[in-house]
Amino acid sequence: QWQTGFEDAGKYKIKVSASDGLLRTEEKVEIIVLEVDRAPQLEAPLKVDVHEGEKFILTITFVDPDDDDVAIAFQNLPQGVEFDDKNKTLQWTPSYDTIHRRGGMFSTMLNVLRLERFFLKHETVSFTITACGKDLCTSQPVEITIHNVNQSPVFSNLQNITVTEMDTIEFKPEAVDIDNDIIRYY
């Protein structure tokens, strides 16, 4: 009896002999152990947190226990995510408008009341990594939570003013908010 293992694939020749005490008979038997493909082992974080404008790098580790070549595939990757095959990493910098105002009267009302930020804290996207060996594949879901980053308003046409005493100063600052938040001047 021989319990074969995953590393035992191949051909083996054994000699079997039988004896009745006086005479002996021998036969050669060939045992062929067929290879069983094992699925690749895949390791990547299940959950990742990133802020808008912040670059994140996700390292993917995979190995095939049978030393087969491994092909990597992704399903539902967010736009802009790049896979660096040499370093086996996913890289992405979510833009500052990944999480944005929805617009409309309700959104504007929440913005005026400064409550909209509570509804736009973060957004979660999911994708799947699949590693395939010769016959079998292994898949793993990954969840990325993108945290909203509020950007400061930017002044446009803001210049120094020079006047003579007793002159009237008229000052009309203008600013643009990249996040489309309502701007108040103080």
Side-chain angles (χ1 to χ4, degrees), residues 11-158:
K11 292 182 181 181
Y12 299 89
K13 294 185 182 193
I14 61 169
K15 188 181 351 175
V16 180
S17 59
S19 172
D20 64 2
L22 297 173
L23 298 172
R24 183 181 195 100
T25 302
E26 289 186 353
E27 290 273 334
K28 289 187 178 180
V29 176
E30 183 175 78
I31 298 175
I32 300 173
V33 180
L34 300 175
E35 181 181 21
V36 174
D37 188 42
R38 292 177 283 176
Q41 297 167 349
L42 174 65
E43 288 183 27
L46 295 173
K47 295 182 182 229
V48 177
D49 283 298
V50 65
H51 291 84
E52 289 178 323
E54 174 184 283
K55 183 177 186 173
F56 90 93
I57 298 174
L58 176 79
T59 302
I60 302 166
T61 305
F62 53 89
V63 74
D64 189 284
D66 302 314
D67 290 326
D68 295 331
D69 289 336
V70 178
I72 295 292
F74 304 96
Q75 292 81 37
N76 301 322
L77 270 182
Q79 188 172 5
V81 177
E82 295 178 4
F83 179 61
D84 180 352
D85 191 39
K86 181 181 175 189
N87 296 316
K88 309 299 184 225
T89 58
L90 286 174
Q91 300 179 22
W92 185 39
T93 304
S95 69
Y96 285 104
D97 59 352
T98 301
I99 301 173
H100 56 276
R101 294 186 64 224
R102 305 290 185 244
M105 188 174 75
F106 184 69
S107 178
T108 301
M109 184 62 72
L110 289 173
N111 193 325
V112 168
L113 297 172
R114 300 289 194 233
L115 298 174
E116 190 176 42
R117 63 190 158 113
F118 296 111
F119 296 93
L120 298 176
K121 282 185 172 183
H122 55 81
E123 188 175 296
T124 301
V125 294
S126 298
F127 65 92
T128 303
I129 304 170
T130 303
C132 292
K134 187 169 91 176
D135 295 322
L136 298 175
C137 297
T138 302
S139 293
Q140 178 182 322
V142 176
E143 191 175 272
I144 301 175
T145 301
I146 306 150
H147 297 276
N148 192 7
V149 174
N150 188 27
Q151 298 177 84
S152 299
V154 177
F155 282 107
S156 57
N157 269 347
L158 191 60

